[in-house]
Amino acid sequence: MNYEMYSNGNKEGLFRRIKAGLLQIPREHKGFGKQIFLLARNDLIKTYKGAVIGPFWAVMKPLFQLFVYWFAFTIAMNRSPVYGDVPFFVFAMVGFCPWCFMSDCVSRGSKCIRDNRQFVNKISFPVSTITTYTTMSKFYVHIFLFACAYIYLLCSGFTPTVYHLQIIGYSVLMFLFFWALTWSLAPMCAFSKDLESFITTIMSGLFWLSGVCFDSYSVNDRFIRKALLFNPMTYFSNGYRKALIYDQWFFEGNYHPEYENLIFLCEFVLVIALGIFNYNRLRKRLPDVL
């Protein structure tokens, strides 16, 4: 009987903590909407401050990287410039567009609290909004980069279809997923520079494990092909290609799209839960650490 009362008490306490956590972040954002948009714009301006062409560097860097990959795969390695029925540059560009946002969110978002410690130490400012405006500033760049990529697609002979509207859903989901991921990464990196260095180290390797420049559905090894389904970065790269190149709905495809969507949904819920847990566990200790 005592054990049951103790167990029920723990469950009720856990439920209250989860409920409080779900309300904490929205509560912190209340009344700070205008400031978040202004800070996101200022963060973007600060990133390219002093550059003559300013935000256009956000496009120049990915374009140069794409050129390098195109040269490596099609010229240096003597491979066909066509990937299936799609030019390799187009195939890589569509997958690379969401990768740029995801990579920036992980690498920059993980250290956004440490880089903006003045908001934690000196003024009364909700810490969770730091991750929000940082993610939003990267999303501005993504919109601009996607617009350039879409214009190139239209000039390459692709015609607008109803399937392209899925990009709205994919981009919103991508923003929410990696925004929630920063709730965990940013506070933990504020406590540990080793974690920050680890994230920086694995990001370059993660590029080659995310199906950005290759078709993850056609990998010969069955185990690796299934393992790639658990990579959310692969999910969004493939999703953009389904919508823009292959004219497929998110529930269509040649390789178990129902499993792919279910896996992502589970990961999405898990990332939100872990983000809320880690943020509420660490936020009150951040001023002492920073």
Side-chain angles (χ1 to χ4, degrees):
M1 184 65 180
N2 290 336
Y3 172 78
E4 291 179 357
M5 292 176 61
Y6 177 77
S7 178
N8 291 335
N10 280 345
K11 290 180 180 179
E12 291 176 1
L14 179 61
F15 178 78
R16 284 196 298 269
R17 288 195 295 271
I18 293 175
K19 183 179 179 180
L22 288 172
L23 298 175
Q24 179 64 35
I25 293 178
R27 189 185 299 119
E28 290 186 355
H29 282 67
K30 186 178 180 180
F32 284 89
K34 184 177 180 180
Q35 291 92 327
I36 289 172
F37 282 102
L38 289 175
L39 287 168
R41 186 193 66 180
N42 292 339
D43 183 69
L44 185 61
I45 294 173
K46 183 175 66 175
T47 302
Y48 301 101
K49 184 178 180 180
V52 176
I53 61 175
F56 283 97
W57 281 114
V59 178
M60 296 298 294
K61 181 181 176 181
L63 283 178
F64 179 73
Q65 288 179 285
L66 277 175
F67 170 77
V68 172
Y69 298 140
W70 169 82
F71 181 85
F73 280 98
T74 62
I75 304 299
M77 299 177 64
N78 294 321
R79 294 186 60 177
S80 172
V82 179
Y83 204 102
D85 297 328
V86 181
F88 175 79
F89 185 83
V90 172
F91 179 88
M93 178 187 67
V94 174
F96 196 74
C97 188
W99 162 260
C100 291
F101 171 77
M102 295 183 289
S103 176
D104 281 346
C105 275
V106 174
S107 58
R108 293 290 301 276
S110 61
K111 55 184 179 181
C112 66
I113 292 179
R114 183 182 294 276
D115 289 344
N116 296 277
R117 66 187 68 191
Q118 69 274 14
F119 292 119
V120 180
N121 290 331
K122 296 182 180 180
I123 62 177
S124 177
F125 193 82
V127 177
S128 63
T129 57
I130 297 175
T131 63
T132 303
Y133 78 72
T134 301
T135 306
M136 190 170 293
S137 70
K138 306 308 173 190
F139 195 66
Y140 289 161
V141 175
H142 173 69
I143 293 174
F144 183 62
L145 181 61
F146 173 77
C148 295
Y150 192 69
I151 292 172
Y152 181 85
L153 282 177
L154 297 181
C155 294
S156 300
F158 289 83
T159 56
T161 67
V162 67
Y163 298 98
H164 294 183
L165 295 176
Q166 294 178 101
I167 292 299
I168 299 174
Y170 276 117
S171 60
V172 171
L173 273 178
M174 183 171 63
F175 174 87
L176 294 175
F177 183 91
F178 287 92
W179 176 39
L181 185 61
T182 59
W183 299 345
S184 284
L185 295 181
M188 289 192 296
C189 286
F191 280 83
S192 173
K193 284 191 175 182
D194 290 328
L195 178 60
E196 183 180 317
S197 300
F198 174 75
I199 291 173
T200 302
T201 301
I202 67 171
M203 286 309 298
S204 58
L206 195 59
F207 172 86
W208 300 104
L209 300 174
S210 299
V212 178
C213 287
F214 64 91
D215 185 2
S216 64
Y217 300 130
S218 61
V219 174
N220 292 328
D221 190 283
R222 183 179 179 183
F223 175 79
I224 296 177
R225 189 167 64 246
K226 288 185 176 181
L228 288 171
L229 295 177
F230 290 87
N231 186 343
M233 295 180 174
T234 305
Y235 177 82
F236 287 111
S237 292
N238 287 335
Y240 269 55
R241 291 193 186 106
K242 284 183 179 181
L244 296 176
I245 296 178
Y246 299 121
D247 288 341
Q248 294 177 339
W249 294 111
F250 68 94
F251 51 82
E252 295 179 331
N254 298 325
Y255 189 75
H256 303 301
E258 66 281 4
Y259 296 152
E260 188 177 31
N261 291 313
L262 180 60
I263 289 171
F264 172 75
L265 179 60
C266 294
E267 290 177 336
F268 192 21
V269 173
L270 180 62
V271 164
I272 292 176
L274 288 176
I276 290 173
F277 172 77
N278 280 319
Y279 174 74
N280 282 281
R281 180 172 61 93
L282 301 174
R283 66 185 178 89
K284 291 183 179 180
R285 298 168 54 191
L286 287 172
D288 298 330
V289 174
L290 299 176

